[in-house]
Amino acid sequence: MKRSIIALALLTLVVTFALGQMKRDDSVEAQIVALEKRAFEAWKNKDRQFFEDHMSEAGLYLDLNGVGGKAQYVKAIIDNNCTVSSYSLDNSKVTMLSKDVALLTYRYAHDVVCGGNPEASPLWSSTVYVKRGGNWLIAFHQEIPAAEAK
């Protein structure tokens, strides 16, 4: 009987701890997804300051032209002849790599025209966020065209 009570107490403790962890993870996931949506709005509105404030100084991105740093990334997404009419994100998933590093993966579709040509859509994307000074910052971003539905 005594073992049963101890086992039940331990089980209760583990379940309580696990539920507490899930709430924290849900909160971080919501923060990260909301921040990525703000980045899309900043891209759409050519808000350079958002990316200056929310990308790590050591931040990198990867595209068809190779790897670039923060200055190149900001220039590429702000100083262009693209018009973003609409976008939508789905299939988002946040994976915590540590308490201060989160990987966000998602699929997005958009209506974007650059230099008179429509851009590929939909795409799969990933963004790595790092927490510095209490703020989540973009540390890495990449995207690739999604395969056609079979």
Side-chain angles (χ1 to χ4, degrees):
M1 177 73 168
K2 190 174 185 179
R3 282 187 179 164
S4 296
I5 292 172
I6 291 171
L8 183 58
L10 286 174
L11 179 61
T12 302
L13 181 63
V14 168
V15 169
T16 302
F17 178 77
L19 290 174
Q21 290 296 96
M22 284 176 26
K23 288 179 186 174
R24 277 192 288 261
D25 289 347
D26 289 347
S27 173
V28 169
E29 181 171 348
Q31 290 174 38
I32 296 295
V33 171
L35 189 55
E36 193 76 4
K37 288 179 180 179
R38 286 179 53 205
F40 268 81
E41 277 300 302
W43 171 52
K44 180 179 178 183
N45 297 319
K46 297 189 182 282
D47 179 359
R48 177 182 307 277
Q49 194 62 49
F50 176 87
F51 293 100
E52 293 290 347
D53 293 345
H54 292 90
M55 186 169 191
S56 166
E57 289 304 317
L60 298 171
Y61 78 103
L62 178 67
D63 68 8
L64 297 173
N65 298 310
V67 178
K70 179 178 180 175
Q72 293 165 302
Y73 180 71
V74 173
K75 183 177 171 93
I77 60 176
I78 301 299
D79 299 335
N80 58 48
N81 61 353
C82 299
T83 302
V84 180
S85 298
S86 65
Y87 63 86
S88 63
L89 284 69
D90 61 22
N91 295 320
S92 64
K93 179 182 178 188
V94 174
T95 302
M96 296 304 298
L97 303 177
S98 76
K99 69 180 183 70
D100 293 329
V101 180
L103 168 64
L104 170 64
T105 56
Y106 58 93
R107 188 180 82 91
Y108 76 96
H110 62 230
D111 180 8
V112 176
V113 175
C114 294
N117 299 310
E119 290 285 294
S121 181
L123 296 105
W124 284 102
S125 184
S126 63
T127 305
V128 175
Y129 282 90
V130 294
K131 196 167 195 178
R132 299 283 186 263
N135 297 311
W136 288 103
L137 302 174
I138 299 166
F140 177 81
H141 179 80
Q142 70 84 38
E143 51 197 44
I144 57 171
E148 292 183 28
K150 295 178 183 181

